[in-house]
Amino acid sequence: MASIAFALLCMPNPYNFGSRSGVCPMDSQLSKLRATMAAAPAELDRYDADIERLQAALSRLTSERSVLAAYTDLCRSVLSPVQRLPNELLADIFDLCLPDDLYVIFASTTDDEVDRLVRRYLLQLSQVCTRWYRVAMDTPKLWSTIAVDTEVWQWSFIGDARLADLLKSSLTRGRNSPLTLHLGISNRDSDVVVVESLLEHAHRWKNVFVYSSGAPCVALSSAMISLDQLEMLDLNVDSWGRLPAFQNAPRLQYLAFSGYVRDLPLLPWTQIKTIVYDSHDTAGPRYSPLSVLNRAPQCASGTFYLDLRECPPHEPWDVGIKSGVNQLHFQLLVSEGDDAVVANLFDALTLPNLEALEIYPSDGASPPIWSSTHFLALVERSGFDSCLTWLAIRAVVSDEELLRCLRALPKLERLFFTECGSSPASFSTTITNNFLRGLFLVRGMASVTPNLRLLSLRCGLDFSDAVYADLLATRARLFDGKSVFGANLWWFGPRKREFSVEAMERINQLALDGGIIFNTGEYNPAVHDSD
């Protein structure tokens, strides 16, 4: 082909001849042109054959390269850390991808409901590869929480039947794994279909949350079912009635509910160990929320969020509660200036085994007014001098009243106190020099709370820093030098003043010597209420 190309370069140029140029080629030139024309078809065929061969080779090389690249990517994928994870660990990672609000069924939309039923986040993960699909679809624990809000079903464009099918599919994928159930009931006809599907898996129920603004679905409230795995029950239902749906639950120990005490379902009260009660009921003699403690003789911990604003302030509660509970936590919503509610609360209780007591106002509510006289009567009646070791108070009380109460608690080990007032204009200063000096631990002398290990104060710094440092010095290295005293000091912002440099140096030296553990800073309720 090279010789042909060279020959073509040596040939006369045909464009130099013809009618346009007005020049006629010589005979020798004509013969060369005719010879070239005769040889051209064979040469063109050879060119076409070579091009076709080269194109086939290029296509083959391109294909082989693509195969090698894909294989290399596969090898890289196989060797990547995520592919070496066991399926169990990969499933745990999938579980961490759960959206925070997936099971929040209040104020949800129809799209939210579909997302909950089909586990949209799992469906998205399952599209990555075949292995991820198998892990997402075949791991029962990923399908072990079901949230249903029948209130929004009526607005769904796909219809009740399709939503019911999605629910059944999710229940089936959970197989026999213990089930956590969030059920919002709207008292529609579709509730029956939903509840019947859930009842088929009642043997799996472990944690159950029921929400309803009216009477619960008849299919659920009247069911006689065996709940062998049920451990936790949360009923946010206005009215239930004495129905037996949850009576046969041999493992049930945790009960949370709201509404009226008179409308609770039949429950295995003798085995309940933890009660959380959020009530909008009044504390009348018949329906006092505290009466549930009498029903649960094995209860060890109780938390009560009580709205007591409608209680007649100076009318004693005609109810007597004697309970062996070990921990009681109260958050109270009271009328501003009501000085009888806490007194009535203390008068209603006898708690011979109580180890921890908390009295706090509800968020944003007026603080309760402490009653030292009635508290001391409770102390004597219950024998707190030999059992109470943990006390948390956020109430209006004077320094002398608080010291008076603490003198009756020689076993107290942890004290949490937050200053407050019945109104911003009447802020009560409790943490004073007098109070701090009352807590000094003097060897060989009777002292208030001699066993105190932790003192956590939230206050306005209305005391002498030197007196506070003296208190910590008397408490450092107590119990024969084997225990360290803990002190938390949180101030309300904006701070009125700076803490004394000299006092802080003394406190820091006590901490360096190993006698105390000290924390201080501006008060943050979200953090420091649990210190």
Side-chain angles (χ1 to χ4, degrees):
M1 287 188 295
S3 60
I4 294 296
F6 179 76
L8 289 174
L9 291 174
C10 299
M11 293 292 290
N13 188 346
Y15 294 103
N16 293 331
F17 309 107
S19 59
R20 290 187 179 182
S21 64
V23 178
C24 294
M26 296 183 295
D27 291 342
S28 60
Q29 292 174 326
L30 288 173
S31 61
K32 290 181 179 180
L33 292 175
R34 291 189 181 97
T36 300
M37 291 175 58
E43 292 299 324
L44 291 173
D45 288 342
R46 274 197 298 274
Y47 276 112
D48 290 340
D50 286 343
I51 291 173
E52 185 176 352
R53 177 178 59 79
L54 293 174
Q55 287 178 336
L58 179 61
S59 177
R60 175 178 56 80
L61 292 173
T62 302
S63 177
E64 290 176 357
R65 186 193 182 284
S66 298
V67 170
L68 179 59
Y71 183 76
T72 302
D73 290 341
L74 179 60
C75 293
R76 186 179 295 110
S77 175
V78 170
L79 295 175
S80 67
V82 69
Q83 291 295 344
R84 296 199 299 273
L85 292 175
N87 286 350
E88 294 79 6
L89 186 54
L90 187 60
D92 289 341
I93 295 173
F94 287 0
D95 201 21
L96 294 175
C97 296
L98 175 78
D100 293 337
D101 59 349
L102 185 65
Y103 301 133
V104 178
I105 65 175
F106 300 108
S108 58
T109 66
T110 55
D111 289 341
D112 296 332
E113 183 71 5
V114 174
D115 287 350
R116 284 192 292 262
L117 293 177
V118 303
R119 295 291 202 287
R120 188 176 301 279
Y121 79 99
L122 283 180
L123 296 182
Q124 292 170 338
L125 290 170
S126 70
Q127 296 174 11
V128 172
C129 63
T130 302
R131 182 191 175 214
W132 283 31
Y133 177 87
R134 290 198 303 267
V135 171
M137 297 296 113
D138 296 339
T139 303
K141 74 173 184 179
L142 295 177
W143 302 85
S144 62
T145 299
I146 298 294
V148 184
D149 182 10
T150 61
E151 178 68 29
V152 300
W153 281 35
Q154 59 185 316
W155 313 114
S156 176
F157 67 93
I158 65 176
D160 289 358
R162 179 55 180 156
L163 289 171
D165 289 340
L166 295 177
L167 171 62
K168 293 176 182 178
S169 177
S170 294
L171 287 167
T172 300
R173 288 196 175 106
R175 299 178 190 171
N176 288 321
S177 61
L179 183 64
T180 294
L181 173 63
H182 299 259
L183 177 60
I185 298 177
S186 62
N187 295 306
R188 295 178 61 243
D189 292 340
S190 59
D191 287 3
V192 176
V193 176
V194 170
V195 171
E196 288 178 349
S197 297
L198 295 173
L199 288 175
E200 293 179 5
H201 297 262
H203 62 283
R204 297 171 47 202
W205 293 5
K206 182 177 181 180
N207 305 303
V208 175
F209 303 82
V210 182
Y211 313 91
S212 175
S213 57
C217 174
V218 175
L220 177 61
S221 59
S222 61
M224 291 292 293
I225 51 180
S226 178
L227 303 170
D228 295 336
Q229 295 196 56
L230 185 63
E231 298 178 359
M232 175 182 177
L233 178 62
D234 189 325
L235 301 176
N236 192 338
V237 180
D238 285 346
S239 177
W240 193 278
R242 297 184 64 78
L243 298 171
F246 300 100
Q247 190 172 20
N248 189 10
R251 295 186 180 182
L252 181 61
Q253 295 187 349
Y254 183 101
L255 175 65
F257 58 97
S258 64
Y260 300 104
V261 177
R262 63 179 179 269
D263 288 328
L264 284 176
L266 295 176
L267 295 167
W269 288 101
T270 57
Q271 65 194 45
I272 302 297
K273 294 186 177 180
T274 301
I275 293 176
V276 177
Y277 190 56
D278 190 351
S279 173
H280 53 261
D281 202 351
T282 59
R286 282 188 66 187
Y287 310 121
S288 168
L290 301 174
S291 65
V292 297
L293 290 173
N294 285 336
R295 303 188 190 188
Q298 300 299 319
C299 182
S301 176
T303 300
F304 292 83
Y305 301 86
L306 301 179
D307 184 353
L308 304 177
R309 291 172 296 179
E310 300 300 323
C311 293
H314 296 288
E315 180 179 314
W317 298 353
D318 185 17
V319 59
I321 307 298
K322 185 173 183 179
S323 172
V325 65
N326 303 126
Q327 301 177 16
L328 265 181
H329 308 272
F330 291 104
Q331 284 201 17
L332 306 178
L333 186 57
V334 302
S335 299
E336 184 174 347
D338 189 343
D339 60 355
V341 168
V342 174
N344 287 340
L345 175 65
F346 290 155
D347 288 345
L349 301 172
T350 301
L351 308 165
N353 298 324
L354 194 68
E355 299 174 1
L357 176 64
E358 178 182 63
I359 305 287
Y360 267 41
S362 297
D363 292 342
S366 299
I369 298 177
W370 189 262
S371 175
S372 300
T373 301
H374 293 265
F375 177 75
L376 290 172
L378 172 61
V379 169
E380 183 177 358
R381 186 168 63 248
S382 302
F384 284 177
D385 58 330
S386 62
C387 61
L388 194 69
T389 61
W390 192 98
L391 181 62
I393 303 172
R394 183 169 185 174
V396 179
V397 59
S398 69
D399 54 355
E400 282 293 347
E401 284 186 299
L402 185 55
L403 283 172
R404 181 183 169 201
C405 293
L406 294 178
R407 290 188 185 99
L409 303 173
K411 297 294 184 181
L412 194 67
E413 297 180 2
R414 290 171 173 80
L415 175 62
F416 303 82
F417 184 83
T418 303
E419 286 185 336
C420 55
S422 58
S423 68
S426 60
F427 188 85
S428 174
T429 299
T430 305
I431 310 304
T432 63
N433 288 340
N434 178 59
F435 174 79
L436 296 176
R437 289 192 180 101
L439 295 181
F440 281 14
L441 183 63
V442 181
R443 301 296 181 183
M445 296 179 59
S447 302
V448 177
T449 60
N451 293 295
L452 195 66
R453 299 170 182 265
L454 173 63
L455 176 64
S456 186
L457 303 176
R458 299 106 171 179
C459 58
L461 299 181
D462 293 306
F463 53 81
S464 166
D465 300 341
V467 174
Y468 181 76
D470 289 341
L471 166 62
L472 299 190
T474 68
R475 293 280 178 170
R477 287 287 186 184
L478 75 165
F479 304 118
D480 299 326
K482 296 180 180 179
S483 298
V484 177
F485 185 75
N488 298 327
L489 180 62
W490 313 117
W491 64 78
F492 299 130
R495 183 160 47 168
K496 299 178 182 178
R497 61 177 178 81
E498 293 299 319
F499 203 83
S500 164
V501 175
E502 295 79 6
M504 186 59 70
E505 289 178 349
R506 286 185 60 197
I507 293 172
N508 289 336
Q509 188 60 52
L510 290 172
L512 290 173
D513 293 341
I516 65 170
I517 296 176
F518 180 66
N519 297 295
T520 189
E522 186 172 337
Y523 173 56
N524 181 349
V527 176
H528 301 139
D529 279 349
S530 60
D531 64 359

